[in-house]
Amino acid sequence: MKKYLFVTLALLTVSFMNAQGSEKAKALLDEVYEKVSGYDNISVDFRFELRNTEADINSETRGKVTLQGDKYLGDLFGTKQLYDGSKVYTIIPDNEEVTIEDKSDDENTFTPTKMLTFYKEGHTYSWDILQNVQGRKIQYVKLVPIDSNTEIKHILMGIDKVTKHIYKIIETGKNGTMTTITVNSFKTDQPLSKTLFTFDEGKYQDDGYYIIKN
C-alpha cells in the first residue's frame, strides 16, 4: 500500500512541477511581448542557419529587419520584403523583379511581426535550459505545437533574462530540418526615414524592374 502511495505522490509532484514550469515559461514570453510592444520601432540584425544532415543541407547567411507596428522591411538571401500596412512587396534585385500582393490572411504564413505573437496560442510551454553566453543569462523556453499535423516538432526560444529580448529561436522540424535565428544586434526606437515603409513603384520601373501584381 505504501508503495502505491509513494508512486501516486511522485506522479502528483511531477505533474505539479510541470504545471509550474509551463506557467513560468508562458509568463516569461508574456514579459518579452510586453517589453517589445513598448518600443516605437525595432531594428534587428541576425544570423540565419538552415541545417538538415540527411538532405545534406547546410547554409548560413546574415539578415536584417526593421519593424514599426505591423509594418516591416526585411532583407534575407538578397531578397527584400516590405509591408506598408496594406500590400506586401517582394523585391528580387538579381531578377530585377518586384511582386506586389495583398497581405495573406493564412495563419501559417510567417511574417517578422509574428515573431512576437506566434507563441500566444496553439502551443504547450515548458521551462528549458539556462545558458551563459558571454556573461549574458539566456533562458530557453520550449514550445510544442498542439496541432499534430504541423511540420514543426518544437521551437526553442532563448531569452535574455535581463533585457527580456529574444536572443535565439531554434525551430526543429519533424523531417530533421533545424532553422536557427541568432540575434546579433537588437536596436530600439531608432530615427527612421518617413519613407522607409513606402514603396516607390516609379523608381523600380525606371530601373527596368518587372512589376508583377497579384
Side-chain angles (χ1 to χ4, degrees), residues 6-198:
F6 288 143
V7 171
T8 301
L9 287 173
L11 289 173
L12 287 172
T13 301
V14 170
S15 177
F16 176 70
M17 291 177 66
N18 286 340
Q20 280 191 315
S22 177
E23 290 174 3
K24 280 203 308 180
K26 177 64 162 53
L28 180 58
L29 292 173
D30 284 339
E31 281 189 81
V32 172
Y33 176 73
E34 290 299 324
K35 183 70 178 287
V36 298
S37 295
Y39 299 127
D40 177 65
N41 60 70
I42 300 171
S43 296
V44 180
D45 183 277
F46 60 90
R47 185 172 75 249
F48 179 91
E49 300 171 78
L50 187 65
R51 304 277 184 267
N52 187 309
T53 305
E54 289 187 11
D56 195 26
I57 297 173
N58 188 3
S59 65
E60 181 177 326
T61 189
R62 294 281 292 272
K64 57 185 178 181
V65 63
T66 299
L67 305 97
Q68 186 175 48
D70 288 335
K71 299 177 183 180
Y72 62 81
L73 174 63
D75 190 337
L76 184 65
F77 290 116
T79 296
K80 293 183 179 181
Q81 191 168 79
L82 167 69
Y83 177 57
D84 62 3
S86 175
K87 300 283 186 180
V88 178
Y89 306 86
T90 303
I91 305 157
I92 309 175
D94 287 348
N95 298 345
E96 295 188 335
E97 179 182 288
V98 178
T99 301
I100 305 173
E101 52 195 337
D102 293 327
K103 180 184 177 183
S104 174
D105 292 326
D106 185 355
E107 293 182 357
N108 296 318
T109 301
F110 188 79
T111 65
T113 52
K114 284 188 179 180
M115 279 182 64
L116 310 177
T117 59
F118 79 92
Y119 77 90
K120 284 182 170 288
E121 54 186 36
H123 299 87
T124 60
Y125 314 94
S126 60
W127 200 250
D128 213 88
I129 64 170
L130 176 67
Q131 281 188 340
N132 188 319
V133 180
Q134 298 179 341
R136 298 167 66 190
K137 300 294 184 183
I138 307 299
Q139 176 63 57
Y140 281 85
V141 170
K142 187 175 185 179
L143 296 87
V144 178
I146 295 172
D147 182 4
S148 59
N149 293 320
T150 182
E151 296 179 0
I152 300 172
K153 185 177 180 181
H154 58 73
I155 299 169
L156 284 168
M157 290 187 66
I159 298 162
D160 188 312
K161 292 192 72 175
V162 175
T163 65
K164 299 299 187 295
H165 292 164
I166 297 171
Y167 166 70
K168 184 174 287 190
I169 300 176
I170 306 170
E171 179 185 288
T172 301
K174 291 178 180 177
N175 64 353
T177 300
M178 182 178 290
T179 305
T180 304
I181 296 174
T182 305
V183 174
N184 296 319
S185 71
F186 190 101
K187 298 178 180 180
T188 62
D189 297 340
Q190 300 294 295
L192 302 179
S193 166
K194 292 182 179 180
T195 60
L196 182 64
F197 303 107
T198 301

